Amino acid sequence: MATWLDGTDFARYALIPEELLPTWEGTEADEVMEEYVSALRMAGRDILTLGAEPLSITWLAKPLTFARWCYADDDTGLLSAVHAAGSADGWKDVLTLELGGRYVLADAAYEADRILGSLRHAQQPAEALRVELSPGRYRVQSLIVDPDPKTQFMLERLLPE
């Protein structure tokens, strides 16, 4: 089973470079609140944001994919659905950005102290996830998958360019 961030009050997650986390105030993503996938720049670094709905989210490191839980009884079919979707038609190019290094995925409205506290104390449910990416340019693509009539996940994958 994946580790899920259990929804967001703000309806927006941010993939924050770890070195910028101590200065994160929780208001940086305010201007992109309505978009499903977007990016901001902070201190010369790109920050990926995912949201517009308060869905639970997880990070799958091997396929470089974020999955948001639209509806499902559980996540047992998630990995097979993501792998099956890998070669599927319908992926929509959303944006391209520069990423690389250690990141933290968290509710974009949380302040640094709350995010850092969550990482230190490994609380349940989790409020932050660590993500590590090789440096480079990434294309972000989105796809909604319906592995069965009772299951739907929204996927955002990172494709190295």
Side-chain angles (χ1 to χ4, degrees), residues 7-20:
T8 165
D9 297 332
F10 182 59
R12 170 80 33 213
Y13 295 99
L15 186 63
I16 308 162
E18 206 169 80
E19 72 270 12
L20 299 181

Side-chain angles (χ1 to χ4, degrees), residues 80-123:
S80 59
V82 170
H83 290 297
S87 60
D89 292 334
W91 284 96
K92 178 183 171 191
D93 287 337
V94 182
L95 55 87
T96 302
L97 68 169
E98 289 282 334
L99 299 171
R102 297 178 63 168
Y103 292 83
V104 175
L105 178 68
D107 188 312
Y110 291 170
E111 294 177 2
D113 289 345
R114 181 170 180 174
I115 297 169
L116 291 166
S118 173
L119 292 170
R120 272 194 296 274
H121 297 90
Q123 61 195 48

Side-chain angles (χ1 to χ4, degrees), residues 35-127:
E35 298 183 39
Y36 280 91
V37 180
S38 60
L40 358 143
R41 290 241 346 129
M42 183 174 158
R45 298 288 309 268
D46 285 337
I47 297 171
L48 177 66
T49 66
L50 304 168
E53 293 185 45
L55 303 172
S56 297
I57 192 169
T58 192
W59 166 246
L60 305 169
K62 285 289 183 197
L64 296 177
T65 301
F66 296 97
R68 289 188 267 170
W69 188 310
C70 298
Y71 53 86
D73 290 335
D74 58 42
D75 67 353
T76 55
L78 174 63
L79 275 177
S80 59
V82 170
H83 290 297
S87 60
D89 292 334
W91 284 96
K92 178 183 171 191
D93 287 337
V94 182
L95 55 87
T96 302
L97 68 169
E98 289 282 334
L99 299 171
R102 297 178 63 168
Y103 292 83
V104 175
L105 178 68
D107 188 312
Y110 291 170
E111 294 177 2
D113 289 345
R114 181 170 180 174
I115 297 169
L116 291 166
S118 173
L119 292 170
R120 272 194 296 274
H121 297 90
Q123 61 195 48
Q124 292 300 322
E127 290 189 340

